[in-house]
Amino acid sequence: MKVLVVGSGGREHAIIRALLRSSQVTELLCSPGNPGIAADVECLPVVADDLGALVELATSRKLDLVVVGPEAPLVGGLVDALSAAGIAAFGPVAAAARLEGSKAYAKEVMEAAGVPTGGWSTVESVDAGMAAIVGYPAVIKFDGLAAGKGVVIATDEAAAREALEQFLVERRFGEGQVVVEEFLEGEELSLLALCDGERAVPMASAQDYKRIFDGDEGPNTGGMGSYCPVPSVDAERVAELSAIVHQPIVDHFSAIGTPFHGVLYAGLMMTADGPKVLEYNTRFGDPETQAVLPRLRSDLAELLLAATNAGGLAGRELDWDPRCAVTVVLASAGYPDSPRLGDPISGLELIAAPLELTCAGVADADGALVTAGGRVLNITALGETPAAARAAAYAGVELVEFDGKQTRSDIALRAEEATE
Ligand code: AMP
Ligand code: GLY
């Protein structure tokens, strides 16, 4: 099987590592990738949103499968374009990726599908937004894609007004409405499922650490680390949750004639009133994927190809390594506001199996890697216990240096404490 992975982050690197373990894959490419990914597979200089060039590449290379990593090309119709050209593409068509592309649409779908979620209103003006707030903290979300920066938890009226003005007057992310949502309390959970248009096959439970500082302090980021599985969410509980948050969505899209293929990622809040969906993503999570896929023993290439066919996952169960995985993100100085670029990275050669290094914001400067984005690297370790996996991952983190390196020191601490 000849496979292309589209994207350039740590998530795509983790997908590539899992595909390299497949007995089915004979050729593996990445576009555009990054210099760290290029150490594993051939990278081609086609950016993820150049749909025409990607279709041309897939056709000329006679690819059997294209796996789309990021949300923007999914929302932009890459899977539609590849499918029209007769190429199997893993990911939802644009009409289904809208579930991630519009938070207002996601709420409508959740309501229609009977999925539990917080109360909400969609507003188009600052005054309507202020009127829709029922108490503080209030959750204010820009309706479109905003690279994780479109959600504000406002603790008072002034902060709420400022957020609404940013989104609706200053148009920080362009045209778009705003969703004002009920604030939910609890522990967050990332539950991903592979979907074949008819059924959702859930993956192991994971948790992401979104804030920059220990103890969930400071601004939101793309994610500072993750672990898998979550001790309180075993396979049985995963199946129960998936029946509530994945299958109804797959059934809904099937019923409206746009079957959902690809990853359905439910971001859940485990509230005192039960699980509620905060958001759906229509792709693998980053950095959850870096912790989830190293535990997958089933053949990923086979699964992803099967998911592109209606009902192709029938009868399949995923096989997991019983160990736990912990991923720590190494972020650049200044992240998330203004990541500093160009800092030389040292010590990479010291990261060896069983540690897994996946590369995100890196660039090549005269043959050496330098920082080139906010989230630079991910170090993942497997361990018999969360404590062992944490210790191994953090030992790896100590080996890699660059000026201003930022890491959280409490990734998976919760899992360690829960299993003590
Ligand atoms: P989203 O992009 O919608 O997942 O939001 C990003 C992050 O904001 C989530 O992972 C939560 O940490 C937080 N968040 C979003 N919606 C809510 C909510 N209704 N209540 C509390 N926290 C929220
Ligand atoms: N880990 C959050 C995301 O992938 O959106």
Side-chain angles (χ1 to χ4, degrees):
M1 199 192 296
K2 292 184 184 176
V3 186
L4 168 72
V5 176
V6 175
S8 61
R11 162 184 51 210
E12 286 76 22
H13 202 173
I15 293 170
I16 283 167
R17 284 282 168 71
L19 291 173
L20 284 170
R21 296 198 296 272
S22 163
S23 59
Q24 308 288 313
V25 174
T26 50
E27 190 178 339
L28 188 54
L29 305 168
C30 187
S31 70
N34 64 49
I37 294 176
D40 287 337
V41 298
E42 182 186 352
C43 290
L44 301 157
V46 182
V47 291
D49 49 12
D50 191 342
L51 307 196
L54 286 167
V55 172
E56 163 61 25
L57 170 66
T59 313
S60 64
R61 290 270 197 151
K62 297 188 171 57
L63 300 179
D64 300 298
L65 176 67
V66 176
V67 181
V68 185
E71 58 275 21
L74 292 170
V75 173
L78 179 55
V79 169
D80 310 55
L82 288 163
S83 304
I87 293 150
F90 179 80
V93 292
R98 201 175 156 218
L99 188 66
E100 172 163 0
S102 163
K103 293 193 185 282
Y105 178 66
K107 286 291 197 181
E108 287 163 24
V109 170
M110 283 187 245
E111 183 167 59
V115 170
T117 186
W120 87 98
S121 332
T122 301
V123 300
E124 290 178 7
S125 73
V126 175
D127 286 346
M130 293 306 292
I133 292 171
V134 290
Y136 291 92
V139 183
I140 297 170
K141 299 184 175 181
F142 178 70
D143 183 38
L145 291 183
K149 301 198 170 67
V151 176
V152 172
I153 314 277
T155 48
D156 56 29
E157 229 176 281
R161 187 171 288 280
E162 188 187 325
L164 288 164
E165 281 175 356
Q166 261 194 26
F167 295 159
L168 291 168
V169 181
E170 292 157 33
R171 298 278 175 207
R172 180 165 174 211
F173 301 109
E175 291 297 309
Q177 33 184 16
V178 159
V179 173
V180 174
E181 192 178 302
E182 175 191 359
F183 178 77
L184 299 172
E185 278 187 278
E187 213 173 293
E188 283 188 54
L189 185 71
S190 301
L191 208 60
L192 282 64
L194 300 176
C195 304
D196 66 4
E198 295 175 5
R199 73 173 52 69
V201 179
M203 307 189 82
S205 57
Q207 240 171 2
D208 172 18
Y209 287 73
K210 291 210 164 75
R211 305 294 193 100
I212 183 87
F213 301 130
D214 282 7
D216 295 329
E217 301 282 345
N220 257 334
T221 70
M224 292 298 290
S226 60
Y227 68 94
C228 170
V230 177
S232 59
V233 188
D234 61 8
E236 198 181 324
R237 182 76 178 127
V238 164
E240 280 169 19
L241 289 170
S242 182
I244 299 170
V245 303
H246 294 137
Q247 193 61 46
I249 297 291
V250 173
D251 292 343
H252 172 85
F253 278 104
S254 169
I256 63 170
T258 15
F260 192 101
H261 294 265
V263 171
L264 179 59
Y265 162 146
L268 304 180
M269 190 69 94
M270 308 305 276
T271 75
D273 294 335
K276 296 200 177 175
V277 174
L278 293 176
E279 65 161 350
Y280 284 110
N281 295 318
T282 61
R283 50 164 175 86
F284 282 107
D286 190 339
E288 289 93 332
T289 304
Q290 291 88 312
V292 171
L293 289 186
R295 296 189 56 236
L296 182 70
R297 285 173 165 168
S298 316
D299 189 308
L300 183 66
E302 233 175 57
L303 288 168
L304 300 188
L305 184 63
T308 66
N309 295 315
L313 293 171
R316 286 182 195 257
E317 276 188 29
L318 307 184
D319 182 22
W320 298 100
D321 187 321
R323 291 175 297 170
C324 41
V326 172
T327 297
V328 180
V329 170
L330 284 68
S332 57
Y335 182 67
D337 293 334
S338 49
R340 195 168 73 204
L341 313 182
D343 285 314
I345 305 170
S346 67
L348 291 174
E349 68 288 354
L350 302 174
I351 303 295
L355 289 176
E356 184 161 289
L357 173 77
T358 41
C359 298
V362 296
D364 192 333
D366 301 324
L369 289 188
V370 297
T371 63
R375 292 187 290 172
V376 180
L377 301 163
N378 310 265
I379 293 180
T380 300
L382 288 164
E384 298 297 334
T385 61
R390 279 192 83 224
Y394 278 108
V397 167
E398 291 304 310
L399 300 174
V400 176
E401 287 304 336
F402 49 88
D403 266 359
K405 174 180 95 175
Q406 299 192 74
T407 53
R408 275 182 66 156
S409 71
D410 60 352
I411 305 301
L413 183 59
R414 217 178 275 142
E416 179 173 328
E417 288 169 351
T419 50
E420 264 169 7

